[in-house]
Amino acid sequence: EIEKNNEMLRGVFSYTHFKDINDHALFNIATSILDKYDFCISSKKQSFLTENFTLYVEKALELFIQREGSKGVLEASPKEIRNLLVTILDVHYGNIYDGTAGLNGFLIQAYKQAIEKNGFVHLFGQEANMKTWALGRMNLILHGLYSDIAEVKCGDTIINPFWKDEDGNLMKFDGILSNPPFGISNWGYEVVEKDLYNRFKFGMPSKSSGDWAFISHFIASLNERGKAALVVPHGVLFRGAKEGTIRKRVIQEDLIEAVIGLPSNL
């Protein structure tokens, strides 16, 4: 019923089995948290979507993701990594994209920085995990960014990239931020072996690891002035065979501005 009456929430609760939710837990949420806020928009009391409430819910979402991540279900980039990448990217105008958007933390932080610098950006993203996508949609709504400023679609970025121009080519962006999944083997090699979007002009990535598939996708999604800041595993720098060939060609094209090694346990 909530989805029916709120177009922006369409599909968000599709993965949720409400019969599995404990009534006692819901009661605690209602009495200890929601009861502090007035849902009446015309009231002079503290409004529902106050900055404090948004920060509270964002923290709750982060805690949830951390818990699920410990089970191997979901994983979120640490806040420090988000701040670092957004600062390095330093794009305050135009379009910013994250093809493995997660909770949309990179996109939200990029928007905040652009506003602080008197700029303005539109945000685009894609996320393969439906549960994560739904949480990310709620995060955008709570920050007031969906859908005029930000839109993130649900689907596999490598197998079926959603963001395309009128001619069916990949959409080009001014800035890209992403922390793609490390070393996944089922990244879609067989599906994109004959890629329609010319993403793998430097070479076809290894079947056993999708790291360079994501990097190649992001390179192909940049416009002539575009810049990307990506978090990748160290193996990207050293593995040979097909990955070595791709790496050599990318370096020869002078596409890499810097490689920054990050310490563990951030």
Side-chain angles (χ1 to χ4, degrees):
E1 290 301 315
I2 292 174
E3 282 191 14
K4 286 179 183 178
N5 289 282
N6 294 273
E7 179 64 31
M8 65 175 62
L9 292 173
R10 192 61 53 86
V12 166
F13 301 118
S14 299
Y15 71 89
T16 305
H17 302 286
F18 288 98
K19 291 182 180 179
D20 297 337
I21 299 176
N22 185 288
D23 286 345
H24 182 69
L26 288 175
F27 177 79
N28 284 337
I29 290 173
T31 55
S32 64
I33 302 169
L34 298 181
D35 199 42
K36 297 177 182 178
Y37 300 91
D38 194 332
F39 286 79
C40 180
I41 295 175
S42 62
S43 172
K44 293 182 180 179
K45 296 179 181 179
Q46 188 177 22
S47 64
F48 179 57
L49 289 180
T50 60
E51 182 177 353
N52 288 337
F53 186 80
T54 300
L55 291 173
Y56 179 90
V57 176
E58 185 179 27
K59 184 64 177 177
L61 287 174
E62 286 184 1
L63 291 172
F64 174 79
I65 290 295
Q66 288 173 14
R67 188 191 73 181
E68 295 299 299
S70 67
K71 301 175 185 176
V73 180
L74 302 171
E75 191 170 346
S77 303
K79 182 179 179 181
E80 292 75 14
I81 297 293
R82 297 200 303 267
N83 291 340
L84 177 64
L85 257 69
V86 170
T87 302
I88 291 171
L89 187 70
D90 201 32
V91 172
H92 306 140
Y93 297 93
N95 298 331
I96 294 180
Y97 168 65
D98 185 350
T100 56
L103 279 183
N104 302 316
F106 281 132
L107 296 177
I108 292 169
Q109 185 61 32
Y111 177 81
K112 288 179 178 178
Q113 187 187 84
I115 295 300
E116 289 173 359
K117 301 288 186 178
N118 297 315
F120 185 83
V121 291
H122 281 95
L123 309 173
F124 299 83
Q126 189 165 335
E127 169 57 41
N129 185 305
M130 185 175 182
K131 194 172 188 178
T132 308
W133 168 83
L135 292 167
R137 167 72 66 84
M138 287 190 278
N139 207 7
L140 292 176
I141 292 171
L142 288 164
H143 283 85
L145 301 179
Y146 181 83
S147 62
D148 292 338
I149 297 169
E151 173 66 284
V152 175
K153 299 180 183 292
C154 186
D156 190 301
T157 296
I158 300 299
I159 295 175
N160 185 24
F162 278 120
W163 295 108
K164 291 173 274 193
D165 60 23
E166 295 177 353
D167 297 323
N169 300 314
L170 287 182
M171 187 173 172
K172 307 292 185 179
F173 298 95
D174 301 287
I176 294 177
L177 293 157
S178 192
N179 181 7
F182 289 0
I184 59 172
S185 57
N186 57 337
W187 59 269
Y189 179 93
E190 292 78 8
V191 178
V192 300
E193 197 168 3
K194 296 181 180 179
D195 187 53
L196 299 175
Y197 307 103
N198 194 34
R199 291 177 290 182
F200 307 122
K201 62 181 180 180
F202 302 114
M204 196 65 187
S206 166
K207 278 186 180 181
S208 61
S209 174
D211 294 329
W212 274 102
F214 286 102
I215 297 171
S216 298
H217 169 78
F218 292 130
I219 291 174
S221 300
L222 288 170
N223 62 32
E224 291 181 358
R225 303 173 307 281
K227 179 180 177 181
L230 312 174
V231 181
V232 295
H234 282 98
V236 163
L237 305 176
F238 307 114
R239 290 192 292 256
K242 289 185 176 182
E243 294 193 21
T245 300
I246 298 170
R247 185 170 58 246
K248 180 179 179 180
R249 291 176 179 173
V250 168
I251 292 171
Q252 287 174 338
E253 289 284 330
D254 194 27
L255 297 178
I256 298 175
E257 185 174 339
V259 175
I260 302 172
L262 299 177
S264 60
N265 300 319
L266 282 174

